Structures are given as C-alpha cells and as structure tokens.
C-alpha cells in the first residue's frame, strides 16, 4: 500500500478551538448576566460587567480567527499562529495520543491553584460548561461545515506537559489524521484512551510565547 510522504505532502488542519472556546464562553456568560439582571435589577451595572468580561475573550477571538493551523509532517507536529510557530512536538517525543471533546488547546488556559479550587466548589458549573462545549461543537460542525459530529472529535497530542489539540473538521481530515497516527506511531484511532481535563480557563496573552 502506498504510504504518504508527510514531508512533501503534510496534513494541514485549521484550528477552530479558539473560536469554539469563545462561542462557549458567550453561551455561558450571557444567560448568567441576564439572569442576574432579571432577579436583581441594576441592568446597567451587570451589562457593564458583561462588557468588562467579554473584552479579553473577544480580543483573543479576533486575533486568532482564521490565523491558527496545525501542520503534521513525518517528524513533527507544529502549531502555528499565522507564520509563527507556537508549539512544536516531535513525533519521537510524543508520550501519549488521546481522544476527547474539550476545547483545551494550550497551557495558557491552565488555572491558578485558587482558580482550580473554585472549580471544585462549583462542580455543577463544570458540568454545565462541558455540556455547552458539546452543544456548540455540534452546531459548529452542522451549520458551518455540514459535517458529521463525533462525540470525541479532537485528538490530543501530548509531550509531558505540552499539548496540541487537533480537531479535524471534515470526514476526510479525520481519516487523514487517523492514517497519520497509524503511519507514524502505529496507533489506531479507535483504540485511543480518553483525555479529560477537569478545569481550565480561557487563553490570554496570546502573543507572549
């Protein structure tokens, strides 16, 4: 069987995770703000709070939309912002490949110890956020690309503490990535273990590498 030369013909996957994260953030924040307005009044105050919280995520969204991609070659997997390499994981150094559904894609989303502690106190909120991510991804696949949505639609490439999240948006991309894992790591997609991160936040300071 002909084996693809990934150096001459690399796989290029557009990264939509920052957009998914933004849509999910809005989907959670807006009902919360409007609920507070409904029950407690002070609409101007809460709308100001909404604007205050929305500015950083909106900045990330505008600065990443259409500018992120993941390139898979025979030797490494590179994560780009425009032409800048944000992350480079060599195939030989990959410690694990996992499947998952979350929009966790960079260590910049890691919470502080206090932030992680708060997520334990608000466990139902964690469930809500993950449900929202699933709903947003389903709508994203269906309306924007008319594609088939898999519950575990993302692949997490792990090198110790480093992670690159690959989310194939079409059936063709999904098959190509699975074949890539088989060719380079002798790993089958249907045998991958599940990746799940209990708590994480939103990417900030995207240009401070």
């Amino acid at each position: 069987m002909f084996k693809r030369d990934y150096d001459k013909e690399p796989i290029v996957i557009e990264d939509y995770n920052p957009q998914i994260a933004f849509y999910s953030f809005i989907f959670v924040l807006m009902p919360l703000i409007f609920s507070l307005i409904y029950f407690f009044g002070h609409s101007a105050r809460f709308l100001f709070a909404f604007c205050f919280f929305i500015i950083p995520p909106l900045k990330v969204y505008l600065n990443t939309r259409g500018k992120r991609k993941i390139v898979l070659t025979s030797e490494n997997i590179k994560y780009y912002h425009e032409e800048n390499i944000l992350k480079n994981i060599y195939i030989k150094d990959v410690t694990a490949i996992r499947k998952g559904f979350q929009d966790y894609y960079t260590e910049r989303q890691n919470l502080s110890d206090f932030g992680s502690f708060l997520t334990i106190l608000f466990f139902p909120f964690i469930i809500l956020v993950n449900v929202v991510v699933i709903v947003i991804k389903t709508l994203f696949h269906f309306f924007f690309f008319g594609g088939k949505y898999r519950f575990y639609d993302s692949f997490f490439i792990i090198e110790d503490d480093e992670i690159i999240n690959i989310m194939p948006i079409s059936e063709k991309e999904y098959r190509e990535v699975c074949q890539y894992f088989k060719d380079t790591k002798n790993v089958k997609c249907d045998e991958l273990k599940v990746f799940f991160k209990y708590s994480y936040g939103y990417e900030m300071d995207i240009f401070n590498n």
Side-chain angles (χ1 to χ4, degrees):
M1 182 178 178
F2 175 76
K3 186 176 179 180
R4 180 171 177 172
D5 187 336
Y6 295 103
D7 290 325
K8 294 181 179 178
E9 190 183 357
I11 298 174
V12 180
I13 306 291
E14 296 296 324
D15 183 33
Y16 296 98
N17 278 293
Q19 289 155 261
I20 296 292
F22 177 74
Y23 298 146
S24 301
F25 181 82
I26 296 300
F27 199 94
V28 171
L29 185 61
M30 286 187 67
L32 177 62
I33 293 295
F34 288 119
S35 295
L36 292 173
I37 292 173
Y38 179 80
F39 287 108
F40 298 102
H42 306 293
S43 57
R45 183 185 305 172
F46 287 117
L47 287 174
F48 174 79
F50 173 77
C51 293
F52 176 80
F53 283 110
I54 200 63
I55 288 174
L58 180 60
K59 179 182 177 182
V60 174
Y61 172 76
L62 294 175
N63 284 334
T64 59
R65 185 178 57 181
K67 299 178 182 179
R68 295 283 179 90
K69 64 182 178 181
I70 299 157
V71 178
L72 298 84
T73 70
S74 58
E75 292 187 355
N76 52 24
I77 299 174
K78 294 181 180 179
Y79 186 31
Y80 285 88
H81 178 95
E82 295 184 316
E83 298 306 316
N84 300 313
I85 299 176
L86 297 181
K87 198 170 300 184
N88 180 16
I89 296 181
Y90 286 91
I91 296 299
K92 62 182 178 62
D93 296 328
V94 171
T95 53
I97 301 174
R98 299 284 186 263
K99 61 183 178 182
F101 66 88
Q102 293 176 305
D103 54 352
Y104 177 76
Y105 59 94
T106 174
E107 294 75 24
R108 295 186 184 91
Q109 292 172 271
N110 289 338
L111 298 174
S112 64
D113 291 339
F114 179 70
S116 298
F117 173 72
L118 288 179
T119 61
I120 296 176
L121 295 180
F122 298 98
F123 176 72
F125 185 73
I126 299 300
I127 297 176
L128 171 63
V129 169
N130 282 289
V131 169
V132 167
V133 169
I134 294 169
V135 171
I136 293 296
K137 277 195 168 188
T138 302
L139 296 174
F140 188 80
H141 280 268
F142 183 77
F143 285 107
F144 287 91
F145 295 95
K148 176 182 178 182
Y149 174 69
R150 291 177 170 83
F151 183 76
Y152 296 121
D153 69 331
S154 296
F155 299 108
F156 294 83
I157 313 303
I158 303 170
E159 179 197 349
D160 298 325
D161 293 331
E162 296 286 316
I163 283 183
I164 294 178
N165 181 342
I166 303 173
M167 186 180 75
I169 203 65
S170 68
E171 188 66 18
K172 178 179 180 291
E173 287 185 351
Y174 184 88
R175 290 197 302 268
E176 285 181 334
V177 172
C178 285
Q179 186 63 47
Y180 174 83
F181 293 151
K182 187 176 180 180
D183 290 341
T184 59
K185 296 293 289 183
N186 195 28
V187 170
K188 296 181 180 178
C189 285
D190 56 359
E191 296 178 355
L192 294 176
K193 295 180 180 179
V194 175
F195 172 90
F196 182 82
K197 189 170 180 63
Y198 177 74
S199 63
Y200 57 93
Y202 201 84
E203 179 185 12
M204 297 297 177
D205 301 324
I206 63 173
F207 299 114
N208 295 330
N209 297 315

